């Protein structure tokens, strides 16, 4: 029953719910400027970010959605910002690019998506970075590629980042204090 509930939330329409508890694990957010220097961050600027240490700006695309290039375990992944998704949901190929390799036996959570019901694996991501903001120790559902057209940045990450506002041209995330 719990898996069905989580799946229903994953595909729900825009939600104001803020997820602050992840299986008893504390989630930590830090500015990338405070992160260890040995992280070997890429030199190229990230599309959609304005360079301020505490603000991320994501432009609205012509289709009306907001897409972001994020770093998962220091590997680049494009995601759809989805305030209706309760948890970060990754396509299997994006998870593999970030070094996450669930075993076949890990796909035990029933998830309802726009493409029907599927099984997902629950894992932890060491680090999610969006612009200058970092969230550590975050839950993620990994789904077969055919179940998602793009990975979804859900509320378990968004709620840890800070305040979120959006208008017709951009989505703005301001770092939580």
């Amino acid at each position: 029953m719990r898996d069905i509930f989580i799946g229903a939330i994953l595909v729900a329409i825009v939600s104001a719910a803020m997820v602050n508890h992840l299986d008893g694990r504390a989630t930590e957010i830090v500015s990338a400027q405070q992160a260890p220097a040995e992280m070997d961050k890429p030199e190229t600027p990230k599309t959609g970010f304005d360079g301020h240490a505490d603000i991320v700006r994501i432009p609205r695309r012509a289709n009306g959605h907001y897409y972001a290039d994020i770093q998962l375990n220091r590997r680049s992944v494009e995601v759809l910002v989805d305030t209706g998704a309760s948890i970060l949901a990754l396509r299997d190929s994006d998870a593999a690019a970030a070094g996450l390799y669930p075993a076949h036996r890990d796909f035990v959570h029933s998830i309802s998506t726009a493409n029907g019901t599927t099984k997902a694996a629950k894992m932890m991501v060491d680090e999610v970075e969006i612009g200058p903001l970092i969230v550590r120790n975050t839950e993620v559902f990994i789904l077969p590629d055919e179940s998602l057209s793009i990975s979804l940045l859900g509320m378990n990450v968004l709620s840890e980042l800070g305040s979120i506002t959006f208008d017709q041209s951009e989505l703005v995330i301001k770092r939580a204090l």
Side-chain angles (χ1 to χ4, degrees):
M1 187 68 164
R2 180 175 183 260
D3 291 338
I4 293 170
F5 176 71
I6 291 172
I9 292 174
L10 185 64
V11 296
I13 58 174
V14 175
S15 166
M18 295 295 189
V19 178
N20 290 320
H21 178 74
L22 302 171
D23 284 345
R25 292 186 172 102
T27 307
E28 177 184 0
I29 182 169
V30 296
S31 169
Q33 293 175 335
Q34 299 168 338
E38 65 270 14
M39 290 179 61
D40 296 327
K41 297 168 68 88
E43 299 272 328
T44 55
K46 295 173 183 69
T47 306
F49 308 113
D50 71 359
H52 291 97
D54 296 329
I55 298 175
V56 175
R57 296 181 185 279
I58 303 171
R60 180 176 168 242
R61 292 202 186 157
N63 67 2
H65 296 289
Y66 301 92
Y67 298 86
D69 293 317
I70 66 170
Q71 298 285 313
L72 295 174
N73 296 338
R74 293 182 272 165
R75 307 260 172 68
S76 184
V77 173
E78 183 181 45
V79 296
L80 170 67
V81 178
D82 187 352
T83 58
S86 60
I87 295 179
L88 175 62
L90 296 178
R91 300 177 79 229
D92 194 37
S93 58
D94 288 337
L100 300 171
Y101 303 99
H104 182 70
R105 69 180 178 276
D106 295 332
F107 287 82
V108 296
H109 302 278
S110 293
I111 302 292
S112 296
T113 72
N115 294 330
T117 301
T118 190
K119 295 289 187 178
K122 187 188 297 188
M123 296 186 79
M124 294 296 289
V125 175
D126 293 333
E127 201 169 81
V128 178
E129 180 180 350
I130 180 166
L133 307 176
I134 299 172
V135 176
R136 294 196 172 114
N137 303 319
T138 302
E139 276 186 330
V140 59
F141 274 128
I142 300 170
L143 286 79
D145 281 358
E146 60 273 8
S147 298
L148 281 178
S149 59
I150 189 168
S151 292
L152 306 174
L153 184 62
M155 289 304 295
N156 68 320
V157 175
L158 292 169
S159 66
E160 294 295 324
L161 292 172
S163 68
I164 302 167
T165 58
F166 58 94
D167 59 28
Q168 294 298 320
S169 63
E170 68 181 2
L171 181 142
V172 178
I173 303 170
K174 292 185 182 176
R175 183 180 190 277
L177 298 176

